[in-house]
Amino acid sequence: MASINILENLEQILYLLRVPNTLSEPKKRWLSAFVSIYYSRASLPKKNNAEIPPCPSFVSLDLNPDNSWKTDQSSLNKIDQTSLTKLVKEKNIEKLQIIGGVDGVASILETNVECGIHGNVKDIAHRHEAFGSNTYKRPPTKSFFHFVVEAFKDLTILILLGCAILSLVFGIKEKGIKEGWYDGGSIFVAIFLVIVVSTISNFRQNRQFDKLSKVSNNIQIEVVRAGRRQRISIFEIVVGDVICLKIGDQVPADGLFLDGHSLQVDESSMTGESDHVEVNCSHPFLFSGTKVVDGYARMLVTSVGMNTIWGEMMSSISRDTNEQTPLQVRLNRLTSSIGKVGLAVAFLVLVVLLVRYFTGNTEDGNGNKEFNGSSTKVNNILNAVVGIVAAAVTIVVVAIPEGLPLAVTLTLAYSMKRMMVDQAMVRKLSACETMGFATTICTDKTGTLTLNKMKVTKFWLGKESFVPATYSSIAPYFLKLLQEGVSLNTTGSVYKPASGSEIEFSGSPTEQAILSWAVQELSMEMEQLMQSCKILYVEAFNSQKKRSGVLIRKNADNTIHVHWKGAAEMILKMCSSYYDASGIMKDLDDGEKMKFEQIIQGMAASSLRCIAFAHKQVSEEDQEHDSEQKKIEEEGLTLLGLVGIKDPCRPGVKKAVEDCQNAGVNIKMITGDNVFTAKAIATECGILRFDQDMSGAVIEGVEFRNYTPDERMERVDKICVMARSSPFDKLLMVECLKQKGHVVAVTGDGTNDAPALKEADVGLSMGIQGTEVAKESSDIVILDDNFASVVTVLRWGRCVYNNIQKFIQFQLTVNVAALVINFVAAVSAGKVSLTAVQLLWVNLIMDTLGALALATEKPTEELMTKPPVGRTEPLITNIMWRNLLAQALYQIIILLTLQFKGESIFGVTEKVNDTLIFNTFVICQVFNEFNARKLEKKNVFKGIHRNKLFLGIIAITIVLQVVMVEFLKKFADTERLN
């Protein structure tokens, strides 16, 4: 029979193997005989095939005489990748039928539709070679040279370059090449240093983004290989793999639908159409990059990487890392306003110096007038003017705090790196800062506040609770019904390794808990049960309905049954009868329902998640009607039993919640569980206190939904726990809180959390339980799903803002002091006390090294004792103005005293006095760096031993300054000091 089938399909196989059509009749006959013989041989049981573990219906179609896997390569190489890609891309159902449907493609790709590919190293290597890997060509990353060019686009750098060139030309012309290059050369060196530092910093940040996008693109996917479900990286998928898809997954490659139920896919990323597309056997085409919005399925991969439509699209999109965070925008505004003040002062200095020069009020080193009307050489005039312009430009350089954007970049880059270590991956830079302003965090319960390690700890049959020791007394007929309800109505699976090692359960944590309970306590044989029934229709679980159902036909007697499983109170409403402890069916009237509700509430009050199972046998007519309506019978069911699942609180959550409350941040728990479970967990975590007034603090989603907008706005602040909530309720709450002026952070893991994650100021998705859709919509991914990591993100957010404030205070003190000193000196004495090179040097060490020292301060505990900073509060607070002006005033007084009285006080020459002023100015900044460490506290040295980088930078600055003064006399225009 098998050989007849293969002969019928010979044409299609030859078509896909690209065998030339010009074969003569005898050769065709030979070929068909060869295929039939080896097909039959392949179907015979083989003895020593140790590579394939025992697995139902694993038949390998081998088109080569040597029946080992050595020949894969040749057979796979004959399959034309372009025709496979075209088949899916064009959604060509006729061509697919010619090949023999999805099964035909699977056999040609040497994939067993039940057990997947062999998946050994050799097999994977052959498939890689034949079809490529599941990676995209990325647009080339920006080179180091690109950032050098960007640095040269800065206007002040260009003006300084002009001055340096002029200074060099006139200097050499006047003093000869040996002496004349010092002034211009020193400006060149200083410019070079500034450019190198900013280039390296931007280049490194860009590289960090690239690394980050690699991590965030590395999605884990569930595949079936050699009969075993396992999780692998999206990059490891090969053509021929069988992939398990569920709600919220991203389709990882192009392929064909094998089997599944109610699968709906959002193809808007490909087509722009927002309508969901149903995928089934009659429309089996699935595309990489699309998202599963409902149902579940298994798919066969036909194209990967650059052969998919998504691959082509992704390779042409470059990730732009030039996104400006809100703080950077505010700082740019601040920088430009300070720059304008600097320009005005520089212009005044320029005018004053030019007027003094041309009116003969300036003298050279020998006490002669510099300008003597027409007798002065043109060269000398030009030289003097260039010097004056250079002085004015340098004032601009000092006035513009270009270190501010650099400080933000450094702080954000540093905190991103540290947050990665602390289990938080930042997808959007601005989220780092925004998190520092957060006033409310709306969190999920399962997996975030709890461990998401579920275990069935209670089982009720009728109104009696059973323990594992008493399961043997349960009626066998009833036990079989319960096992059917568990094994057929699930998206999980059970894998029993041949070696007798531990059984593996896959699926969501709830599914895993129920399956492991049924297999280990109720001795359920999943494989047998699956084969004894045919699944007719499935209604997949989603967080709106909080239940899932399945319609099955038993093979033994052709009867049709419905099984439902879900949140206990939802399932209870659908039931009209129940099985008691001895397996007898009884009526479920209102009085009995009340008793069951009390049982459910009792379980929930002990923090158990309560799941109910229900069953009903339906007639053929009902089934046909339901199939047409695409729904499963929901009324008149019989309650099979209740299970209580324990999901313990995470250790450390109570402390984390307390930290947030001390920091003035409200925590609200939004969960799909019932009110009693939610209340019990919230109390355990410290979100609710025992002495708290509970009226209005705990509500259900439906109640919140039905409030009028005004009522909602009035009560939203008081709510601490929202139970039985839908994703829409979560979104409503976020909108309400934002309208009230809160900065809201939201955690979410499900597909339907996406709207709330997008709407929130900061969306935090879960790295382990989170679906791809949730991660795409979020700003930060919490890699360990732990609420304590959310608090770490909050701490880092505040730290970023605080570090930038420290640097602003430090930087502006330098700017104010330098501006005032140079302006006063220029107006009164006709020369600037700090030369171009000296000011560039101050600029370099202060901007870059200062930014590094202050931007890398780690978060302290005291950050979490203050209330959140409002988003609209000014960057420079009153305390900062106080510190800044006092310190600047102190520096100005000291330096102007040195300027006018220094020579007589110390009895030194003018040249030594100028060096003294320069040295004092730099040392003042070094000490000011310590002052900037604490904005409000008097003890600025607290915790300094923990910041090794800060101490290192201070040491480097002092050493460089000594070198500058003592050894680089010509370069810095200084004299040695005793």
Side-chain angles (χ1 to χ4, degrees), residues 454-475:
M454 314 249 185
K455 190 176 187 331
V456 174
T457 56
K458 273 267 180 5
F459 172 51
W460 289 74
L461 174 49
K463 287 172 283 182
E464 273 183 48
S465 173
F466 280 69
V467 291
T470 59
Y471 287 171
S472 52
S473 63
I474 300 171

Side-chain angles (χ1 to χ4, degrees), residues 287-501:
F287 297 100
S288 176
T290 56
K291 310 275 194 306
V292 179
V293 286
D294 203 1
Y296 58 89
R298 295 188 319 135
M299 73 174 272
L300 171 71
V301 175
T302 56
S303 305
V304 290
M306 291 302 294
N307 294 316
T308 64
I309 306 169
W310 184 249
E312 289 168 24
M313 262 169 49
M314 289 309 282
S315 63
S316 60
I317 298 169
S318 64
R319 183 172 172 191
D320 190 20
T321 54
N322 293 343
E323 159 213 19
Q324 289 256 311
T325 71
L327 198 49
Q328 280 172 323
V329 173
R330 282 171 80 178
L331 281 176
N332 287 345
R333 283 207 293 269
L334 181 69
T335 306
S336 69
S337 17
I338 296 169
K340 282 171 191 161
V341 174
L343 271 171
V345 173
F347 183 71
L348 270 175
V349 169
L350 181 70
V351 171
V352 168
L353 290 181
L354 285 174
V355 168
R356 284 185 69 106
Y357 176 76
F358 284 112
T359 53
N361 282 330
T362 55
E363 295 172 349
D364 60 15
N366 307 323
N368 303 323
K369 268 192 188 177
E370 283 191 305
F371 182 76
N372 288 319
S374 52
S375 61
T376 314
K377 288 180 184 167
V378 175
N379 253 0
N380 292 350
I381 294 176
L382 285 175
N383 232 347
V385 169
V386 166
I388 290 169
V389 170
V393 169
T394 313
I395 289 178
V396 176
V397 173
V398 170
I400 296 176
E402 66 265 26
L404 286 180
L406 178 70
V408 182
T409 308
L410 281 171
T411 308
L412 290 173
Y414 175 73
S415 57
M416 270 169 73
K417 213 170 183 177
R418 299 295 312 181
M419 279 159 90
M420 197 74 177
V421 177
D422 290 340
Q423 301 297 320
M425 182 178 83
V426 181
R427 295 184 73 249
K428 202 168 163 204
L429 254 188
S430 54
C432 271
E433 322 159 350
T434 313
M435 196 63 193
F437 307 129
T439 55
T440 305
I441 298 176
C442 299
T443 172
D444 279 346
K445 174 186 80 74
T446 310
T448 311
L449 296 170
T450 61
L451 277 170
N452 216 358
K453 288 195 177 136
M454 314 249 185
K455 190 176 187 331
V456 174
T457 56
K458 273 267 180 5
F459 172 51
W460 289 74
L461 174 49
K463 287 172 283 182
E464 273 183 48
S465 173
F466 280 69
V467 291
T470 59
Y471 287 171
S472 52
S473 63
I474 300 171
Y477 163 74
F478 172 80
L479 204 58
K480 182 117 195 296
L481 266 182
L482 189 59
Q483 288 176 349
E484 275 174 17
V486 171
S487 64
L488 301 168
N489 184 12
T490 181
T491 52
S493 69
V494 177
Y495 172 70
K496 293 187 176 174
S499 59
S501 53

Side-chain angles (χ1 to χ4, degrees), residues 17 69 71-81 108-110 123 126-128 130-131 239:
L17 292 181
W69 276 71
T71 56
D72 297 352
Q73 192 171 9
S74 54
S75 119
L76 288 173
N77 281 346
K78 286 177 193 165
I79 302 161
D80 186 16
Q81 174 64 67
I108 287 160
L109 291 173
E110 297 182 352
D123 178 24
H126 287 332
R127 289 174 190 273
H128 269 311
F131 303 109
V239 169

Side-chain angles (χ1 to χ4, degrees), residues 83-311:
S83 61
L84 265 178
T85 308
K86 221 166 154 190
L87 185 79
V88 177
K89 202 189 262 187
E90 294 172 359
K91 301 186 180 179
N92 194 330
I93 200 85
E94 290 85 15
K95 207 174 254 184
L96 185 64
Q97 242 91 58
I98 293 171
I99 300 165
V102 179
D103 287 346
V105 175
S107 59
I108 287 160
L109 291 173
E110 297 182 352
T111 299
N112 176 296
V113 289
E114 288 303 318
C115 301
I117 58 172
H118 275 235
N120 55 24
V121 179
K122 213 169 185 183
D123 178 24
I124 301 283
H126 287 332
R127 289 174 190 273
H128 269 311
E129 204 171 313
F131 303 109
S133 64
N134 198 25
T135 49
Y136 312 127
K137 280 197 195 90
R138 294 258 162 228
T141 50
K142 292 170 182 169
S143 65
F144 187 78
F145 182 69
H146 168 87
F147 292 103
V148 174
V149 174
E150 285 297 307
F152 269 109
K153 288 181 181 169
D154 187 354
L155 186 65
T156 41
I157 293 281
L158 293 176
I159 295 173
L160 273 174
L161 267 176
C163 286
I165 291 166
L166 289 173
S167 179
L168 200 63
V169 171
F170 291 122
I172 291 170
K173 206 168 178 189
E174 190 186 0
K175 299 177 187 168
I177 197 147
K178 204 171 178 191
E179 294 281 317
W181 68 273
Y182 287 130
D183 280 355
S186 346
I187 300 179
F188 268 123
V189 173
I191 291 170
F192 171 74
L193 285 173
V194 170
I195 284 175
V196 165
V197 169
S198 75
T199 303
I200 290 173
S201 131
N202 289 334
F203 178 70
R204 283 191 54 194
Q205 194 204 355
N206 187 264
R207 281 286 175 274
Q208 197 173 335
F209 268 114
D210 286 347
K211 267 190 207 154
L212 209 102
S213 66
K214 273 185 195 134
V215 175
S216 62
N217 291 338
N218 188 5
I219 301 163
Q220 294 295 305
I221 297 288
E222 217 165 63
V223 299
V224 180
R225 286 182 179 174
R228 178 171 166 237
R229 255 166 98 155
Q230 48 188 290
R231 289 179 81 77
I232 63 167
S233 159
I234 189 169
F235 304 129
E236 291 168 18
I237 288 169
V238 291
V239 169
D241 258 326
V242 172
I243 289 172
C244 307
L245 297 173
K246 59 183 187 305
I247 293 185
D249 280 352
Q250 180 176 315
V251 179
D254 286 2
L256 299 165
F257 174 90
L258 281 171
D259 53 49
H261 297 281
S262 327
L263 185 70
Q264 289 200 335
V265 176
D266 172 11
E267 291 187 355
S268 59
S269 57
M270 308 291 294
T271 59
E273 298 290 330
S274 54
D275 293 342
H276 298 156
V277 178
E278 197 161 321
V279 181
N280 46 37
C281 294
S282 51
H283 177 272
F285 305 103
L286 284 156
F287 297 100
S288 176
T290 56
K291 310 275 194 306
V292 179
V293 286
D294 203 1
Y296 58 89
R298 295 188 319 135
M299 73 174 272
L300 171 71
V301 175
T302 56
S303 305
V304 290
M306 291 302 294
N307 294 316
T308 64
I309 306 169
W310 184 249

